[in-house]
Amino acid sequence: MTAVLEPTALKPTPPPSPGRLVDKFALGLDAPICLTWELTYACNLACVHCLSSSGRRDPRELSTAEAEAVIDELERMQVFYVNIGGGEPTVRPDFWHLVDYATEHHVGVKFSTNGVRITPEVAQRLAKSDYVDVQISLDGATAEVNDNVRGTGSFDTAIRAMQNLNDAGFTGFKVSVVVTRENVDQLDDFKAITDRYNAQLRLTRLRPSGRGADVWDDLHLLAPQQKQLYDWLVANGDNVLTGDSFFHLAAFGDALPGLNLCGAGRVVCLIDPVGDVYACPFAIHDEFKAGNVRDEGGFKGVWQKSDLFQELRKPQDGGACKSCTFFDSCRGGCMAAKFFTGLPLDGPDPECVRGFGESALGSVEGVVPKPSLDHSHKNPLRSQQKNKKKPVALTLGVRPATGVVSAPPARGCDENPLAGFRPPTGIETGSQAR
């Protein structure tokens, strides 16, 4: 059973309420409930908002044996599942082997893909596994909107992957949309697409991370659009996944379903292709690097003993937001969004719906932090060049499926970060644990 870690610093006074799961999580767990693992930075696309600035493979990537060792460790720590991403993870030669290895070792897998390798054969294989979930990335309900962000032909590639999954009988796969000012008016259309292919819509927030920093000013939601999104989620949220993307919108009124807590270093983290462990998938910067799985003690040592994670698990007093009546639900917003816009971590979110972030941004001085690494393609891809109408060339090839994964009868890797988690008796889950 995943237990609550005792903070190394002084315990909070008074102690957190014993009845709220969110307060237990704020102190950190001895193992993450789930984590994001970027297997490679290699990618056949060059999305303008890519949080990891992916494109070119890093030659220092973890080897197959090293990746297997990480999975062994996650199994011993009883991590429920991993979100595998990149880059485009399916272009890594040992991708399917690692998926099989994880599921055979009781670690659920959800992998994010642009769909380039979801052929009918691969879709049929995936449909037979109850311990693997798939997330197709889509950033426009039309090719015009999507391809402007993800590259010419990427909309058709994603739709073809959805069709293949649906034809194979794979229901409930996820379609992940980064909400921007260009597609916020298409929310109903996104929902219609997912319904058509028996999928589930997942909405995530644009962060000024990676290449997202370059398009933040042009694509992040304006105040009226944030209210538009909030109202839409209130009306449709029971059937739409959001993870912990939009808890800052709680200041409009009622809290939305989800964790409503920044879980960075507390219940989630990121392992990058070379084994570096970061507190948050959206904060790939040396300031948030806690260690490396190749270090003595491995991933467990980083998670349980790193100075950074211990600091993040200390009780938070709210900083500049502590006097706000919505702090208990908003929690000050997104750490990465604040950091990459030059705001202090104990200050308001740059998209604070009460307007405090906007006023704080006006006083930012000096150079705004930039991501520590950039793996972008050196030259524009064919799919990114103007006046190119040809679809993305699907010439990467497909590694043949090698058998059917034998797994438990229920997917443990649903978007809900608490899927399969059984809290100690007396801890209230409620809407916070959805």
Side-chain angles (χ1 to χ4, degrees):
M1 171 59 68
T2 301
V4 177
L5 282 175
E6 291 297 328
T8 56
L10 293 176
K11 296 181 180 180
T13 304
S17 166
R20 298 202 314 166
L21 195 58
V22 68
D23 291 327
K24 296 288 185 180
F25 288 169
L27 298 179
L29 304 177
D30 67 354
I33 293 172
C34 62
L35 59 89
T36 297
W37 187 356
E38 295 183 343
L39 286 180
T40 183
Y41 285 126
C43 190
N44 60 308
L45 297 181
C47 303
V48 301
H49 58 21
C50 180
L51 64 92
S52 58
S53 299
S54 290
R56 293 172 291 139
R57 174 184 174 272
D58 192 313
R60 301 171 299 155
E61 281 180 4
L62 296 178
S63 67
T64 300
E66 288 175 317
E68 290 175 348
V70 171
I71 293 170
D72 292 340
E73 200 169 5
L74 299 181
E75 180 185 21
R76 290 192 295 270
M77 295 175 71
Q78 298 183 352
V79 172
F80 292 110
Y81 72 96
V82 291
N83 291 304
I84 293 180
E88 171 53 44
T90 63
V91 305
R92 182 167 159 144
D94 60 358
F95 172 73
W96 297 114
H97 166 75
L98 293 177
V99 169
D100 287 348
Y101 192 87
T103 58
E104 290 165 0
H105 288 75
H106 312 105
V107 178
V109 171
K110 178 175 71 179
F111 69 89
S112 298
T113 175
N114 56 45
V116 67
R117 285 189 166 176
I118 306 300
T119 63
E121 295 76 19
V122 167
Q124 290 171 12
R125 175 190 184 213
L126 292 170
K128 295 176 182 178
S129 173
D130 292 317
Y131 218 37
V132 178
D133 202 359
V134 184
Q135 181 169 282
I136 307 295
S137 298
L138 191 71
D139 287 315
T142 60
E144 180 182 11
V145 174
N146 178 84
D147 291 6
N148 191 48
V149 171
R150 305 187 63 83
T152 303
S154 57
F155 180 83
D156 291 340
T157 298
I159 293 297
R160 181 164 52 249
M162 294 181 212
Q163 184 68 62
N164 289 340
L165 289 168
N166 186 53
D167 289 346
F170 193 126
T171 60
F173 65 88
K174 312 301 182 286
V175 176
S176 182
V177 176
V178 178
V179 183
T180 69
R181 69 181 67 169
E182 298 297 324
N183 66 22
V184 68
D185 291 330
Q186 296 184 320
L187 295 176
D188 287 334
D189 298 326
F190 283 121
K191 188 65 170 60
I193 289 174
T194 56
D195 289 345
R196 182 185 313 145
Y197 295 105
N198 293 303
Q200 188 169 19
L201 180 60
R202 177 179 183 263
L203 300 180
T204 63
R205 182 182 178 186
L206 176 71
R207 267 88 166 189
S209 308
R211 288 196 293 268
D214 299 328
V215 297
W216 170 259
D217 289 337
D218 296 323
L219 293 183
H220 85 90
L221 297 183
L222 302 176
Q225 294 169 325
Q226 291 207 83
K227 183 60 165 62
Q228 176 185 349
L229 173 61
Y230 174 79
D231 290 341
W232 192 89
L233 287 172
V234 168
N236 300 275
D238 288 343
N239 299 309
V240 176
L241 304 172
T242 59
D244 61 356
S245 287
F246 301 112
F247 57 89
H248 70 292
L249 298 181
F252 277 127
D254 295 331
L256 297 167
L259 183 57
N260 290 316
L261 167 74
C262 174
R266 301 178 179 95
V267 296
V268 298
C269 67
L270 167 78
I271 301 176
D272 82 351
V274 301
D276 286 332
V277 181
Y278 294 86
C280 170
F282 305 105
I284 303 176
H285 189 279
D286 288 344
E287 289 287 330
F288 302 104
K289 184 164 65 175
N292 190 287
V293 300
R294 288 167 167 154
D295 296 340
E296 184 177 358
F299 173 75
K300 182 177 181 179
V302 176
W303 177 262
Q304 295 189 355
K305 298 179 180 179
S306 73
D307 292 339
L308 172 63
F309 287 177
Q310 294 295 335
E311 181 67 26
L312 289 172
R313 292 163 188 163
K314 289 180 180 179
Q316 306 296 311
D317 65 5
C321 296
K322 63 184 177 182
S323 62
C324 178
T325 57
F326 291 96
F327 175 73
D328 191 50
S329 54
C330 171
R331 300 274 173 157
C334 174
M335 177 180 73
K338 288 185 277 191
F339 180 77
F340 286 118
T341 53
L343 295 177
L345 298 187
D346 63 351
D349 189 290
E351 291 186 319
C352 168
V353 301
R354 313 300 294 179
F356 300 126
E358 185 177 359
S359 58
L361 286 171
S363 60
V364 171
E365 298 180 354
V367 178
V368 175
K370 295 292 184 183
S372 300
L373 301 171
D374 190 341
H375 293 84
S376 302
H377 293 282
K378 293 181 178 179
N379 299 307
L381 296 181
R382 179 169 52 184
S383 61
Q384 301 294 126
Q385 297 174 19
K386 293 182 179 180
N387 302 320
K388 289 285 187 179
K389 300 300 181 181
K390 295 181 180 180
V392 176
L394 306 181
T395 58
L396 295 170
V398 178
R399 180 174 174 169
T402 56
V404 177
V405 177
S406 176
R411 286 193 173 95
C413 49
D414 194 25
E415 167 62 20
N416 183 352
L418 308 183
F421 180 65
R422 296 294 179 266
T425 302
I427 295 181
E428 177 185 355
T429 54
S431 63
Q432 299 284 358
R434 292 193 52 183

